[in-house]
Amino acid sequence: MSTSEHGPDGLPAGGALRVMGSETEYGIHAPSTPGANATYLSSQVIAAYARLTRERLHASPGAGWDYTDETPLRDARGWSVRRSQAHPDLLTDLEPVLTAEGVALAHGPAEIELDGDQEPALMNLVLGNGARLYVDHAHPEYSSPEVTNPRDAVVWDSAGDAVVLAAVRALASDPEHGPINLYKNNTDGKGASYGSHENYLVPRSVPFSDLVRGLIPFFVSRQLVCGAGRVGIGQDGRTPGFQVSQRADFFEAEVGLETTMRRPIINTRDEPHAVADKYRRLHVIVGDANCSHVANYLKFGTTALVLSLIEAGAAPAIEIHEPVAAMHRLSHDTDLRETVRLLDGRRLTGLELQWIYFEAAAKLAADAGVAAEHGGDGHTATVLRLWERALTALGSDLDAAAGYIEWAAKQMVLEGYRARDGLAWSDPRLGLIDIQWSDVRPERGLANRLMASGRLSRMADDVEIARAAIEPPEDTRAWFRGKSIQRFPANVASASWDSVVFSPPGSYRLQRVPTREPLRGTRALTGGLFESHPDIQGFLDALLGERHT
Amino acid sequence: MAGQEQKSSQSREDVEDVEPGAAPAPAAPQASEATQGVDDLLDEIDGVLESNAEEFVRGFVQKGGQ
C-alpha cells in the first residue's frame, strides 16, 4: 500500500500511533513522621509543587480541575452503577475537599490540624505541560498529557517523575515539612497496591467484547516484557521469592468496573473524556509502573499495536483457560517455562503467547504500510524491533535482557546480593532493594543509578524530560490546555481533559471552552492564536469568535 | 513536516543506544567482565542503601489505591 489508512482520530492506522497517556500513583513515605496520614502527606506534595510553579510563573499555581464531564460509574458494557450502590472509592467525579473529618473517615485517624493558619490543603492541579497532578485516595498521582505515540508517552510519563522529584526536593529543604519521599512502584509488599494506569483512545465502533477477547491473552503475558519485578509472592508478599510483576497478584477478576478492589484484567470504566459517540477511552489498570524507559516504551507501544490488531479484526484467536490464575502463574515463574492452557487444548508459554501477538502485529503493520524504517509512521518500526529483541533475549539471554527489561535488571541486582552475601529471599535487605529501586531521587533510586551508569538503557535524556515537565506535547489538545495555563494563569479558572474554563477579566461569568477532540487544540491549529493575542480578552474574543463562525 | 522527520530519526538513534551486547567479545573474558561489573554495581548500591533495612521495610506502609 502506498498510502496508509487513517483511523477516526486522524492518525495512521495499523501501527503504534494512537492518542494515549499514563497515570502514576506514587508510593509515599515520610521517614521522620511514621504513621502520618498519607492523604495529608500527598496534599503536601501537590502544594509544594504549586509553590514552585508560583515562584516560576509569579502568578497562580495552575488551574483547578473541572469535574463536569467525569462519569466514573458508566460501564463500557452498556450500563451504569447506581450512585447509592457504588463503593465510595468509585466516586471520582466529586471534588475531594480535605477536611480533618474526611481524612479521618477515609484513612484512619487524622493527625493533622487544618485550621485557618494553614494554607488550604491543595488536592488538584492542572500543569502547564497539560498534565494533572492531584491526590488520588492516599497517593500523589500524575496523569500525563495526551500524546500520540509511545516515545512521547515515555517522555511525558518520565516528566511526572521530574515533577514529583521537584516537590520532594522542595519539601526536603523546608524545615517546616521534613522529608517526604516518593516511589514509582505499585505495592508496599504488605497487601496494599496502587496503580499505574494507561489510557488509549479507541473508536467507539469497536465492540467492547472484541477488546476483552483480544486483550486478555495479551495482558496475561505482557508482564514478561514490561513487568517491574517484585520481591515476595502473593498480595501480602508473605511467600518468599521474586516475581516478574508488581501488580499481577492483585488481580482477581477478568472484567469489571472496580479499580481498588477485586481488580479486573479489563477495566470497563467508560469515561471517554472526548466525543462520546465517536471514541471510548480504554482504561488499562493491569500494568506495572516502569522506571525502565524501554520497558515503559514497550508497554505503550505493544499495547497500541494490539489495539490496532483488534480494530482491524486481526487479533489472534486465543482464549486462555482461567486467565487470572494464568497471569499469577506466569508472574511467579522467572524461568519463563510455565505454560497456560488455551480453551482449544494447546499449552503455550508466556513468551509463545507474546510471539503470536508480535507476528500478527508485524504483519498488520507491514500490510498497512506503517512498519517501514523509512516512510513508515516513524514509530511502529522501532516498537516492533525492540519487541522482537526483547522476546528473543528473554528466551535465550537474560543477561542481555537485563539491560532494558526492568524485572530482569532488578533480578540481576537481587541475585548479585544473594550470591555475594548469601541472603535468603526473606532477608529485609532484598525487600529494601525492591522498594528503593523506584525511589524518584537520582542519588537514591537504584533504577536511576543503573540508568546513570548505562546499565539500564535510556530513551530520553534529562534535558528532554525536564522540558516535558514544563511544555505540553504539541500534537494534541494538551497543547491548548497547557499553553492556556502558561499564558493566562490568572484567567484559567479550571481545566479538565475535555475543557478549559476561563474567567475573563472584569466578568463574573466563566467561559467554558470544550476540547472534546483530542487531536484538535494542537500547536499547528492554535499556536497562531496564542502568538497573535498576548492579552486574555483579545485571545478569548478571537477564540470564541472562531468557534462560532 | 520537518518536526516529524526529526522525531523519527531521533527514535532510530535511540534504538542504537539500547542495542544490548553490541560488541561481541570472547566468551571467557566477557563472563569475568560481567561478574566484575555486578561486583562494582553492588559496591555502588551498598553506598546508597537506606541504613536500617529491617526498619525501613517495616515502616514502608501504604494505603491501597487504584
Side-chain angles (χ1 to χ4, degrees), chain A residues 290-350:
Chain A
N290 284 121
C291 299
S292 159
H293 287 185
V294 178
N296 213 13
Y297 178 79
L298 286 172
K299 182 170 69 186
F300 287 98
T302 64
T303 305
L305 287 174
V306 170
L307 290 171
S308 291
L309 280 175
I310 294 168
E311 281 171 29
I318 295 173
E319 276 193 86
I320 294 181
H321 176 69
E322 296 186 350
V324 174
M327 190 168 78
H328 296 174
R329 286 207 319 278
L330 290 185
S331 181
H332 298 170
D333 174 35
T334 53
D335 292 332
L336 311 186
R337 295 201 190 93
E338 184 72 35
T339 57
V340 301
R341 185 151 72 81
L342 307 191
L343 290 191
D344 65 13
R346 282 184 288 169
R347 296 202 74 100
L348 298 178
T349 66

Side-chain angles (χ1 to χ4, degrees), chain A residues 423-488:
Chain A
L423 304 182
W425 277 115
S426 55
D427 192 289
R429 283 173 77 194
L430 300 182
L432 171 62
I433 288 166
D434 189 13
I435 297 168
Q436 203 174 322
W437 179 266
S438 64
D439 190 321
V440 301
R441 293 172 296 174
E443 72 279 12
R444 285 284 185 176
L446 304 184
N448 278 321
R449 293 197 74 103
L450 264 67
M451 283 197 274
S453 62
R455 289 180 172 97
L456 197 53
S457 297
R458 304 186 59 133
M459 297 188 78
D461 63 21
D462 286 341
V463 174
E464 185 180 11
I465 292 167
R467 187 176 175 279
I470 307 287
E471 293 291 341
E474 297 184 355
D475 54 356
T476 68
R477 62 188 175 188
W479 170 263
F480 177 77
R481 182 188 314 124
K483 282 291 157 187
S484 295
I485 289 164
Q486 286 180 19
R487 285 295 179 82
F488 309 115

Side-chain angles (χ1 to χ4, degrees), chain A residues 121-145:
Chain A
L122 195 50
M123 302 293 276
N124 248 306
L125 274 181
V126 187
L127 307 184
N129 72 348
R132 181 187 187 195
L133 181 68
Y134 69 118
V135 180
D136 192 354
H137 302 282
H139 301 271
E141 173 164 332
Y142 168 90
S143 300
S144 82

Side-chain angles (χ1 to χ4, degrees), chain B residues 20-40:
Chain B
Q30 193 177 28
S32 67
E33 276 167 30
T35 311
Q36 185 56 46
V38 171
D39 287 346
D40 291 349

Side-chain angles (χ1 to χ4, degrees), chain A residues 25 27-29 107 136-139 151-152 183 188 190 192-195 197 247 259-260 263 294 373-374 378 382 385-386 389 400 404 412-413 416-417 420 428-429 431-432 435-436 441 443-444 446 449-450 455 457 459, chain B residues 1 3-5 7-21 30-31 34 36-66:
Chain A
E25 288 180 58
I28 185 162
H29 183 55
H107 300 293
D136 192 354
H137 302 282
H139 301 271
R151 188 174 187 284
D152 284 352
Y183 298 81
D188 63 0
K190 302 171 187 67
S193 183
Y194 32 100
H197 300 172
R247 280 284 263 182
T259 54
T260 60
R263 293 184 183 88
V294 178
E373 289 284 350
H374 301 277
T382 310
R385 193 169 49 251
L386 290 180
R389 182 179 300 161
Y404 53 103
M412 172 193 70
V413 170
Y417 269 86
R420 190 190 70 178
R429 283 173 77 194
L432 171 62
I435 297 168
Q436 203 174 322
R441 293 172 296 174
E443 72 279 12
R444 285 284 185 176
L446 304 184
R449 293 197 74 103
L450 264 67
R455 289 180 172 97
S457 297
M459 297 188 78
Chain B
M1 260 195 304
Q4 270 185 346
E5 281 165 22
K7 188 167 278 179
S8 31
S9 66
Q10 166 107 48
S11 50
R12 271 193 294 277
E13 277 169 31
D14 293 336
V15 180
E16 305 315 318
D17 290 343
V18 299
E19 191 92 48
Q30 193 177 28
Q36 185 56 46
V38 171
D39 287 346
D40 291 349
L41 175 61
L42 300 189
D43 289 345
E44 181 189 333
I45 293 175
D46 283 338
V48 299
L49 279 183
E50 304 283 349
S51 51
N52 188 332
E54 193 168 359
E55 186 184 75
F56 182 90
V57 170
R58 199 184 325 115
F60 188 82
V61 178
Q62 302 291 308
K63 301 287 182 190
Q66 296 221 37

